[in-house]
Amino acid sequence: MPTEEEYSGHSNLELDAQSHRFTEWLYQEVSAGLKGDVLEIGSGIGTYSEKIIRDKSRVSRVMLTDIAPSYIEALTKRYSFTINNNVSVSKLDLNRKEDYEKIGYEKFDSILGLNVLEHVENDEFALQQLYRMLKEDGTMVLLVPCHKFLYNILDKKAGHFRRYTKRELEHKVSKTRFTIQRIFYFNMLGIVGWYLNGGLAKNPQINSTAYRLFDSLVPLSEHAEKLIGRRLGLSIICYLRKEQQKRTFSQ
């Protein structure tokens, strides 16, 4: 796997961390699915980890995970004051069964994965394993990039294997025992910037000036999406539930 210096994903994470309006908007869209003990996959530099810990760690356990040793080290240092209390950090390669087994199955009430599944070559295997990590009635919330026509150099340099369609994501979920509770588009305005920057301009990195402008327009974007509905977006948000298994009793 490339280091953070070798691909654009790290600089994108840093831009995201500086975009306070956008990150708070996205967090509000996914936080309803977070309950009980929480597992965050692909925690990166901890932009959303900070919000989860802020809201959940006083009453629940929170585990942060990533595949990159440098991010694991940085997360451990950043949250050292809470480590071994209600917050823990662990390596999780979503294509390695050994990593799932080391953390343990049926341990979490909720799982959050933001812009993670597209980085996983065998995403169907990851979905199956993440299902097993949840307790019964547990919830997983995913955000993934969507629309095949938008795949460009920005995706390639960030290490994305794919962009999803709703139908594709629903089909892959159907191969697990997850039930889809909600699935909707998110961030309509982001389509314009992604297409202009990576599609037309062939820029391998997100333009920081344009991103700051985009962040300033978040209140307008949020209002527009509430007004016209979630008909289009740069990403898809999906709420999944692990239904309680029916038990039969013999007399």
Side-chain angles (χ1 to χ4, degrees), residues 114-163:
L114 304 178
N115 286 318
V116 179
L117 206 60
E118 66 274 14
H119 293 272
V120 183
E121 187 169 9
N122 190 346
D123 55 349
E124 293 181 17
F125 171 80
L127 285 169
Q128 292 163 359
Q129 294 299 307
L130 291 167
Y131 177 92
R132 295 183 62 192
M133 297 187 87
L134 281 173
K135 301 174 186 176
E136 288 188 353
D137 291 325
T139 301
M140 179 161 71
V141 187
L142 298 173
L143 177 137
V144 297
C146 64
H147 303 305
K148 303 288 188 184
F149 77 91
L150 286 174
Y151 190 95
N152 58 42
I153 191 170
L154 285 170
D155 292 282
K156 186 175 181 180
K157 292 293 286 184
H160 296 174
F161 284 99
R162 67 194 73 81
R163 298 186 73 88

Side-chain angles (χ1 to χ4, degrees), residues 6-61:
E6 296 172 326
Y7 81 122
S8 65
H10 181 70
S11 60
N12 294 347
L13 290 178
E14 291 183 327
L15 279 175
D16 204 35
Q18 297 165 22
S19 305
H20 303 297
R21 294 182 184 89
F22 177 76
T23 56
E24 194 59 34
W25 178 30
L26 173 52
Y27 181 70
Q28 292 305 316
E29 292 290 344
V30 300
S31 60
L34 303 183
K35 59 181 182 179
D37 294 336
V38 180
L39 170 67
E40 184 187 23
I41 58 175
S43 299
I45 62 176
T47 300
Y48 296 95
S49 311
E50 180 178 353
K51 301 177 189 300
I52 297 169
I53 292 169
R54 176 193 70 197
D55 293 347
K56 303 296 180 182
S57 64
R58 291 184 181 180
V59 295
S60 303
R61 290 179 299 158

Side-chain angles (χ1 to χ4, degrees), residues 80-92:
S80 58
F81 65 97
T82 54
I83 296 296
N84 297 325
N85 188 2
N86 277 352
V87 179
S88 58
V89 180
S90 182
K91 173 181 172 291
L92 178 57

